[in-house]
Amino acid sequence: MFNPQRLVLARKRRGLTATELARRVALTGQSISNYERGRSTPSARTLDRIAAELGFPLPFFSGPDIPDLPEPALAFRARTKLAASQRDAARGAACLAIEFNSWLERHFRLPEPDVPTLDKPDPETAAEMVRSRWALGTTPIPNTVHLLEAHGVRVFSLATDCTEVDAFSFWHNGRPFVILNMLKSAERGRFDAAHELGHLVLHSGSAPHDEFEANAFAAAVLMPRTSIQEQLPPSPLLTHILRAKHAWKVSALALTYRLHDLGLLTDWQYRHTCVELAKRGYRRAEPDGLPRENSQLLTKVWQHLRHTGTTPTDAAAALNITPEDLHSLTFGLTLGPTPGSGGFPGTGTPLVRPKLALVRDPDGRRPPAEQAGN
C-alpha cells in the first residue's frame, strides 16, 4: 500500500521541492501535494515515474513509516546559512541511517551506548569527564570513529550531494548518531567527530546547540590540557607545532588555537603562527595529512556478510533503497558480490547473529577479521 510519508522522505532526500518533483515527472504541484498528504493515491504508472525520478526502488514507497527527525533535534552547524534543500537532504539521509541501524540491530549485537549527557560542566570539564569515564588517560586518541563506535555511537557517512553540511549529530530512541562528511581532511574529520560528540554530551536535552561549546569540547578531548602543557614548551616554535600535530592527529591550526587558548602562545605569537601556516597552505588543506578514518564496526559487518554470501546489494534490497544510498551511508566500505552461501533474512536460511564487540587497539590497528565474529 502506498505510504505518503515515504514519498515526502524520498523527495526531501533528493533535495527537491514538491514543485520541482512535479515538473520533472510532468504532474501538477497540486497532484504531488495530494499524494504527500494522503488525499489521493498515485496510479501504478505514475508511481513508477516518481520512483524512477527519485532513484528509489518501487517497494520503498509501500513500507511502514520511517521515524522523522524534527530539524531542531539535529545539530547542524551554520543552520541559518545552510540551504533548505541541503538540510532536507541531510535529514533524509539521517532517517535512512536510522533504518539501516535498526536493520543492523536486528541481525547483530552492537555496542550499547555509553555516552554521558552532561548539562552542567563547562566544555573543558566535560571533556575531562568523558576521557576519565572511557579510561583514555591523557594520551592522543588513535581513531575517533573507532572510539565513538566502541561506546555505542552509531557513526555513518554523509552522501556527496550534501557537501555544504559539515557533520551533524542527534539522539534517537536512546541511540546517539553522528553523520560525518567524508570530503573533509582526516584531521578535520577527527575534529568533526569530537565536535559532534560534544553536542551529544552537552546538548542532549533542551540546551541549545552551542557551536562554541562543541568546538571547545572537541579541542579539549583531542588535546588534553595536562598533556599538551607537559609535552610542549611555552611559546612553542612553528617546528614544534608541526611535529606535535602528528602526535595528536589534529590540524596545525587547531593545535595552534588550542595552544593560544591554554596560554602557551601570546596573542601576537598566535597571529604570527597563523599567518605562517597560511603561507604554507595549511588554511586550504593539511600538507602531509593523515589517512581518512572510517568505520571499524561496518567493516566487520561487511566482512561477516561476505562470509555468509550476502552482498551489499542484498542488504540494500532488504531496506528497499539503492546500493548507492547504502554505499553513501557506510563510508564507501560496501564490498562487491562474492561467491558463497549462507543466510539472509527472507532466503529461508538463518543468519548468524555475531556479537560485534569493538576492540580498542592502542596502536590504532584494525583487529584481525576473525575477531569480528561471534
Side-chain angles (χ1 to χ4, degrees):
M1 180 179 295
F2 172 70
N3 185 338
Q5 187 256 7
R6 287 194 166 227
L7 173 56
V8 176
L9 172 59
R11 173 178 61 76
K12 290 187 174 182
R13 172 63 193 89
R14 301 307 181 217
L16 297 176
T17 65
T19 301
E20 288 170 334
L21 175 59
R23 177 178 54 79
R24 293 189 182 196
V25 295
L27 292 171
T28 65
Q30 187 61 52
S31 295
I32 296 296
S33 177
N34 288 339
Y35 299 153
E36 293 188 346
R37 294 175 182 271
R39 295 171 179 165
S40 60
T41 300
S43 66
R45 185 175 180 181
T46 296
L47 189 56
D48 277 340
R49 295 208 316 270
I50 291 174
E53 181 60 41
L54 294 177
F56 277 85
L58 195 59
F60 176 85
F61 298 93
S62 58
D65 282 357
I66 293 177
D68 192 16
L69 291 167
E71 188 175 314
L74 304 179
F76 283 128
R77 263 170 270 178
R79 184 187 301 268
T80 57
K81 297 180 180 179
L82 196 60
S85 60
Q86 288 280 302
R87 292 198 304 270
D88 285 344
R91 283 177 62 196
C95 291
L96 296 183
I98 290 173
E99 278 289 279
F100 180 47
N101 180 69
S102 296
W103 182 87
L104 288 173
E105 291 187 353
R106 287 196 297 272
H107 304 297
F108 298 92
R109 297 187 189 94
L110 306 185
E112 287 298 315
D114 177 29
V115 177
T117 54
L118 311 169
D119 57 2
K120 297 294 183 183
D122 60 273
E124 188 85 28
T125 302
E128 291 173 357
M129 293 173 70
V130 169
R131 273 189 161 265
S132 176
R133 176 170 176 152
W134 290 358
L136 297 176
T138 58
T139 59
I141 296 172
N143 189 303
T144 58
V145 175
H146 295 181
L147 177 67
L148 295 185
E149 291 180 328
H151 292 278
V153 181
R154 307 315 193 225
V155 186
F156 298 99
S157 55
L158 196 60
T160 55
D161 60 0
C162 301
T163 54
E164 294 178 24
V165 180
D166 282 329
F168 62 97
S169 54
F170 57 93
W171 285 87
H172 178 75
N173 285 348
R175 297 285 188 261
F177 286 76
V178 167
I179 315 292
L180 297 175
N181 188 322
M182 296 302 292
L183 298 181
K184 308 296 183 181
S185 69
E187 290 82 359
R188 176 64 181 274
R190 282 172 57 85
F191 198 91
D192 282 348
H195 177 104
E196 298 309 326
L197 176 61
H199 280 307
L200 294 172
V201 170
L202 296 169
H203 309 136
S204 61
S206 57
H209 293 146
D210 188 309
E211 298 303 318
F212 292 104
E213 287 186 351
N215 275 338
F217 176 94
V221 84
L222 290 173
M223 298 166 278
R225 175 194 300 269
T226 55
S227 55
I228 289 290
Q229 291 173 334
E230 289 171 358
Q231 297 187 30
L232 284 172
S235 304
L237 301 175
L238 184 58
T239 53
H240 294 137
I241 293 172
L242 294 180
R243 184 165 58 247
K245 86 178 190 72
H246 290 290
W248 295 100
K249 299 186 177 183
V250 294
S251 72
L253 283 168
L255 179 55
T256 301
Y257 184 91
R258 179 66 169 157
L259 292 169
H260 178 246
D261 189 50
L262 294 176
L264 296 178
L265 288 175
T266 66
D267 291 347
W268 181 88
Q269 289 169 333
Y270 171 70
R271 290 193 296 270
H272 176 74
T273 303
C274 288
V275 169
E276 287 302 311
L277 288 171
K279 289 179 180 178
R280 299 189 183 202
Y282 280 90
R283 283 201 178 277
R284 295 186 301 273
E286 201 67 23
D288 191 26
L290 299 168
R292 180 75 202 212
E293 296 179 352
N294 57 34
S295 168
Q296 184 182 54
L297 185 147
L298 293 174
T299 297
K300 291 182 174 185
V301 164
W302 297 130
Q303 286 173 345
H304 175 78
L305 292 179
R306 183 178 185 180
H307 290 315
T308 67
T310 301
T311 70
T313 300
D314 295 327
L319 294 164
N320 291 320
I321 62 176
T322 64
E324 291 75 19
D325 276 320
L326 183 58
H327 184 82
S328 70
L329 282 173
T330 57
F331 295 81
L333 292 172
T334 50
L335 303 174
T338 57
S341 60
F344 186 78
T347 65
T349 305
L351 178 66
V352 179
R353 292 170 56 86
K355 182 178 181 179
L356 295 180
L358 296 182
V359 179
R360 285 181 298 183
D361 186 329
D363 294 324
R365 294 190 298 268
R366 182 178 300 162
E370 57 266 23
Q371 292 184 7
N374 297 332

